Amino acid sequence: LATARIAKNAAETSLAVLLGRSPAELMKAGTIKAPSSLMTSLPTTPVLPSGIPSQLLEQRPDIRQAEANLQAANYDIGVARAEFFPDFSLTGLFGSASLELLRSTNAYSALSGGVTLPLNFWTIKRGVDSAQAAKDSAIAAYELAVLSAFKDVRDALVEQLEYANSVQALTRQVEYLS
């Protein structure tokens, strides 16, 4: 019962913080009044139903964030690799469409003013390698997030079982002493 009261008090103060109560209100005992019918007896331990699919873990925010980071790292590799290809400009010097470029019949003269070739191969290669390393790091972070989610589920299931065993033992002890 003492453990339940401690948990109830912690939940009340957390709720008061979420509601934006002042520190003075937080320090007062029993600032949030619960209906008296709720605490007439100890609540039973909630039991998770069996057969819950592991796909529910995909909705956890930490896993979704790790997945998004992995996708972004994968896209960054494509951006870094794109630096290997020449860059063509279809506009003139001041940003407007170049009439010379559009009217030209000679393909070489049409492209001569708007082509940028990648000359810094090793710099681009290091950029690609860096993006690949970031992707590898994102993969490791994603795997860790998934493993942590399964750890949390396993820990919760063990806690549920052990709390139920503890309640049964305490109930037997009370019945024996009564």
Side-chain angles (χ1 to χ4, degrees):
L1 188 57
T3 305
R5 286 184 185 140
I6 291 170
K8 176 183 170 276
N9 183 57
E12 284 179 356
T13 54
S14 295
L15 184 58
V17 168
L18 289 174
L19 292 174
R21 301 282 169 89
S22 70
E25 289 175 317
L26 285 177
M27 296 308 293
K28 290 180 187 174
T31 56
I32 299 176
K33 301 294 183 200
S36 60
S37 63
L38 290 179
M39 290 303 288
T40 56
S41 65
L42 286 175
T44 59
T45 306
V47 177
L48 293 175
S50 61
I52 295 177
S54 63
Q55 285 84 10
L56 283 177
L57 294 178
E58 293 173 359
Q59 297 180 16
R60 284 178 49 132
D62 56 340
I63 291 180
R64 293 179 74 175
Q65 179 185 8
E67 184 178 7
N69 290 342
L70 178 57
Q71 287 175 346
N74 198 31
Y75 293 141
D76 287 344
I77 292 174
V79 170
R81 283 186 181 156
E83 294 292 321
F84 281 119
F85 299 103
D87 186 24
F88 297 98
S89 174
L90 297 178
T91 59
L93 180 62
F94 299 108
S96 60
S98 174
L99 295 178
E100 304 301 323
L101 180 66
L102 298 175
R103 290 185 191 153
S104 177
T105 56
N106 183 350
Y108 178 73
S109 66
L111 295 177
S112 64
V115 176
T116 305
L117 296 174
L119 299 176
N120 50 357
F121 175 80
W122 293 110
T123 303
I124 296 170
K125 172 114 173 67
R126 282 192 299 270
V128 171
D129 292 345
S130 175
Q132 182 64 42
K135 179 186 174 191
D136 293 343
S137 176
I139 289 171
Y142 179 76
E143 290 173 353
L144 181 62
V146 170
L147 288 174
S148 295
F150 277 99
K151 176 201 168 294
D152 291 345
V153 169
R154 183 181 185 285
D155 290 348
L157 290 173
V158 168
E159 283 179 16
Q160 174 183 316
L161 177 66
E162 292 304 320
Y163 281 139
N165 290 340
S166 176
V167 167
Q168 288 175 357
L170 290 171
T171 303
R172 285 193 305 268
Q173 185 179 11
V174 168
E175 289 172 356
Y176 178 77
L177 294 174
S178 299

